[in-house]
Amino acid sequence: MIYYLLFIPYFLASILSIDIFFRRALRPVAFISIFIMVFFAGTQYGIGDYYNYLSIYKGYSFSDFAVPFFTSYEHGGTGHEFIFSSLAVALQSLGFPYGVFFILLSVVTVGGKLLFLYKFSPYFFISLVVYLAFIYLKDMTQLRGAMASSIIIWSTIFIVRNKPFYFILSIFFASGFHVFSIVALPLYWICISRFSSSVVVLGLIVSYFLSFHSSFVQFFLNYADNDTLGYIYRKVEGYYHGDRQAEVNPFGSGSFFYVFVILFCIYRKEKIFSYSPLSWYAFIYFAYGFILYILFFDLSIIAYRSLEVFSHLALAFILAVLVKVETKFMRLFWWSLSVIYASFFAYVKINDVAPYRSVLFSSY
């Protein structure tokens, strides 16, 4: 029920915000919304990786420190990246309770993403509805990936400002929370290339071709060096031969929606880029995540992580930009598609998620 209480008011605000008068009137509400969503994320407990992170918080010490991963893996199966673990150890050493660690991460992850949308999205509440539908529930349960994706979306600023060193630094920083972030390194050079549209189209063709004819993951396991890649190789191997989790369908309705958005954005490249280069770079991030999703179709945990880290927040921004740059019928089309599709997706996700539990109203 609590998730509907969050979603429905913002859904109504997304309708009102199309009008310039209401959009201006709702600006203070937008800022308050950021606080509300950070509050709900920071005070929840017991969902997703909550207890795994608790094990790390209580069990690690700086004697386990190593780059890129802490050396002891006995405290759960995830969360060994050195910045994430170091932050946990530092707060624990200073005597802070686990709740402070969780709230701090929630403020930076959820708050960082919403501030990006608040600052750059032309229609904040449209972006907010898409964020709620596609990302928010995941951000509440898997904070490492949420932190990494928050850092990654802000790295677009360094592409706009032509600062490759800071871009690389930000990606390495994100990988200190989730090692998967390291695959973002090519994005700088894809974004600044004048052939970026062609790279996206080629990536789509190749990824779909491979999904028909072979397995990229199987190729990796056959030819990658286990001794060199170590922990990463073992993780991929464990995922591949273990529980595949949710099925990935490269030809489902969701994939069709993503492909349609990608092709339309390429068709409208000049309009999107003229609105702001940041918009185009965010689109490249979105397309990059979807291409990885198709490429890792037979390893669902990596496929869905690609969407979560690269695509979903960028999609929340891009859909609002399309509403802004289009006129008349097409503006109405993109607003309707964005809000209605997000609402349907939210309904499915909310009914499938564990009930919300708060440290303020529950005993634990």
Side-chain angles (χ1 to χ4, degrees):
M1 178 59 70
I2 191 69
Y3 301 120
Y4 285 112
L5 292 177
L6 281 173
F7 186 83
I8 292 173
Y10 296 140
F11 171 80
L12 297 175
S14 71
I15 298 174
L16 295 174
S17 66
I18 291 295
D19 183 87
I20 184 78
F21 171 79
F22 286 107
R23 189 156 68 250
R24 289 173 177 170
L26 287 169
R27 291 293 286 183
V29 179
F31 195 77
I32 295 171
S33 301
I34 296 174
F35 171 80
I36 292 173
M37 295 178 68
V38 168
F39 173 81
F40 276 104
T43 58
Q44 65 89 24
Y45 80 95
I47 305 174
D49 288 335
Y50 182 91
Y51 290 111
N52 201 348
Y53 297 157
L54 178 60
S55 175
I56 291 170
Y57 192 80
K58 291 183 175 180
Y60 267 144
S61 69
F62 278 119
S63 62
D64 300 311
F65 181 85
V67 177
F69 305 104
F70 269 43
T71 55
S72 174
Y73 301 141
E74 62 188 48
H75 306 295
T78 188
H80 310 298
E81 286 84 351
F82 74 103
I83 296 180
F84 177 83
S85 298
S86 295
L87 180 62
V89 172
L91 290 177
Q92 192 273 342
S93 300
L94 292 171
F96 289 103
Y98 175 60
V100 172
F101 173 66
F102 202 88
I103 291 172
L104 177 63
L105 289 179
S106 297
V107 168
V108 177
T109 56
V110 177
K113 291 181 177 184
L114 292 177
L115 282 174
F116 180 89
L117 296 176
Y118 182 81
K119 183 174 178 62
F120 297 112
S121 174
Y123 294 101
F124 173 76
F125 283 103
I126 292 177
S127 293
L128 183 60
V129 165
V130 177
Y131 171 78
L132 274 168
F134 284 86
I135 321 167
Y136 184 58
L137 297 181
K138 198 72 173 180
D139 284 353
M140 292 175 67
T141 62
Q142 296 186 352
L143 289 176
R144 292 184 309 117
M147 176 69 83
S149 61
S150 181
I151 296 168
I152 284 171
I153 195 65
W154 279 99
S155 71
T156 53
I157 300 297
F158 300 124
I159 306 178
V160 173
R161 296 176 180 175
N162 195 26
K163 294 182 180 294
F165 173 76
Y166 290 106
F167 171 83
I168 294 171
L169 196 64
S170 68
I171 299 306
F172 277 110
F173 185 70
S175 70
F177 288 93
H178 204 299
V179 69
F180 183 72
S181 308
I182 204 71
V183 303
L185 283 174
L187 279 168
Y188 183 91
W189 290 272
I190 296 173
C191 287
I192 65 173
S193 170
R194 59 177 177 170
F195 303 111
S196 56
S197 299
S198 301
V199 171
V200 169
V201 172
L202 180 63
L204 275 178
I205 293 172
V206 170
S207 60
Y208 268 103
F209 176 83
L210 290 176
S211 72
F212 270 116
H213 296 283
S214 62
S215 167
F216 178 79
V217 177
Q218 189 62 59
F219 176 84
F220 171 83
L221 293 175
N222 287 340
Y223 296 100
D225 188 344
N226 186 6
D227 294 331
T228 302
L229 294 175
Y231 176 75
I232 296 175
Y233 184 95
R234 292 192 297 272
K235 289 284 282 188
V236 172
E237 185 179 39
Y239 287 144
Y240 187 73
H241 294 296
D243 183 8
R244 305 289 183 85
Q245 297 187 352
E247 180 183 355
V248 174
N249 184 2
F251 305 97
S253 58
S255 297
F256 173 77
F257 173 73
Y258 292 138
V259 171
F260 176 71
V261 172
I262 289 170
L263 295 179
F264 188 88
C265 285
I266 291 173
Y267 172 66
R268 287 298 202 193
K269 177 180 178 179
E270 289 188 8
K271 273 195 170 185
I272 294 171
F273 194 87
S274 63
Y275 174 73
S276 74
L278 183 71
S279 306
W280 180 252
Y281 301 152
F283 160 71
I284 297 296
Y285 279 41
F286 162 69
Y288 186 74
F290 179 69
I291 290 169
L292 291 177
Y293 170 81
I294 301 300
L295 199 60
F296 289 97
F297 75 97
D298 57 344
L299 190 61
S300 64
I301 193 167
I302 301 298
Y304 284 106
R305 187 163 293 150
S306 300
L307 296 181
E308 292 156 10
V309 172
F310 296 109
S311 296
H312 285 157
L313 188 64
L315 177 65
F317 176 46
I318 283 297
L319 290 176
V321 171
L322 288 174
V323 174
K324 179 69 175 178
V325 300
E326 295 298 331
T327 56
K328 297 180 180 178
F329 171 77
M330 289 306 297
R331 173 175 289 185
L332 178 63
F333 170 79
W334 279 109
W335 174 84
S336 302
L337 186 65
S338 303
V339 175
I340 293 172
Y341 186 80
S343 300
F344 172 77
F345 194 87
Y347 175 77
V348 173
K349 295 291 287 185
I350 289 173
N351 288 332
D352 197 40
V353 75
Y356 177 83
R357 293 187 293 174
S358 172
V359 296
L360 301 179
F361 309 112
S362 305
S363 58
Y364 70 106

